[in-house]
Amino acid sequence: AEGEKVLPSLDHQQDARQNTAWFKGAVPSDRSVAYLYCGRIGDGVPVLRFVVRYLGPSPINLQSCSVSVSGRDLGTFAPTKISTDRLPSGNAMEVADIPFDAVRPMVLAILGEKSAEIGLLGANGRAQIRLDETQINEMRKVLAAYEYLNARSQ
């Protein structure tokens, strides 16, 4: 029921190429961040993705991410689908798009907390993403929407 309520409030973007609408929570556009997004490609089952986005003066060529909550190290993962763009501002944007199931335990641990940190390690540098309670609440909304869409598709 929560997913049905929050779905209309999520940001969505139509993707005509994949015949789907992608949904995500309110995500800051001016800094590095991590978030969830979901959608259903065509008439298939819903898809849930975890995204790590780095913004900075130049690409760090992301190789791995570490996750910690409440001072506990939860582990690392290596993103596989990474895109890099140069923004009109001159900054670089690297986006790692990870299947939720590949990082499920870590993301669920983040969702159970009020804050989390994601360390980014790249061939050309390091960065830190701090997720606050507001950002984590947005991720919870997307998870609820995904669960609602998934229940409707069965």
Side-chain angles (χ1 to χ4, degrees), residues 93-105:
M93 177 174 66
E94 281 182 74
V95 178
D97 182 345
I98 303 111
F100 178 74
D101 287 337
V103 291
R104 178 184 296 269

Side-chain angles (χ1 to χ4, degrees), residues 63-133:
Q63 295 176 326
S64 70
C65 301
S66 61
V67 178
S68 64
V69 295
S70 300
R72 291 186 343 256
D73 182 19
L74 299 179
T76 63
F77 62 92
T80 54
K81 184 179 175 186
I82 301 172
S83 64
T84 304
D85 290 310
R86 185 63 65 178
L87 302 175
S89 66
N91 280 336
M93 177 174 66
E94 281 182 74
V95 178
D97 182 345
I98 303 111
F100 178 74
D101 287 337
V103 291
R104 178 184 296 269
M106 287 184 249
V107 174
L108 292 177
I110 290 169
L111 297 179
E113 298 289 331
K114 292 183 179 187
S115 65
E117 290 191 5
I118 300 174
L120 309 179
L121 176 61
N124 297 331
R126 297 175 179 260
Q128 199 76 5
I129 297 173
R130 296 189 49 75
L131 298 174
D132 61 23
E133 190 170 11

Side-chain angles (χ1 to χ4, degrees), residues 133-152:
E133 190 170 11
T134 301
Q135 293 166 307
I136 293 171
N137 281 336
E138 293 299 315
M139 291 172 66
R140 289 182 188 120
K141 289 178 189 178
V142 174
L143 180 59
Y146 166 76
E147 290 171 346
Y148 166 71
L149 292 172
N150 203 31
R152 277 190 35 200

Side-chain angles (χ1 to χ4, degrees), residues 10-88:
L10 296 175
D11 291 340
H12 72 281
Q13 178 180 3
Q14 281 299 125
D15 183 345
R17 187 177 51 115
Q18 292 187 341
N19 187 28
T20 193
W22 293 104
F23 297 92
K24 68 179 180 179
V27 177
S29 61
D30 61 343
R31 63 180 186 265
S32 299
V33 69
Y35 58 93
L36 290 175
Y37 75 97
C38 71
R40 182 190 335 242
I41 299 174
D43 293 330
V45 295
V47 179
L48 184 62
R49 311 289 293 183
F50 180 63
V51 173
V52 175
R53 183 186 70 208
Y54 165 77
L55 292 177
S58 61
I60 61 171
N61 296 316
L62 186 59
Q63 295 176 326
S64 70
C65 301
S66 61
V67 178
S68 64
V69 295
S70 300
R72 291 186 343 256
D73 182 19
L74 299 179
T76 63
F77 62 92
T80 54
K81 184 179 175 186
I82 301 172
S83 64
T84 304
D85 290 310
R86 185 63 65 178
L87 302 175

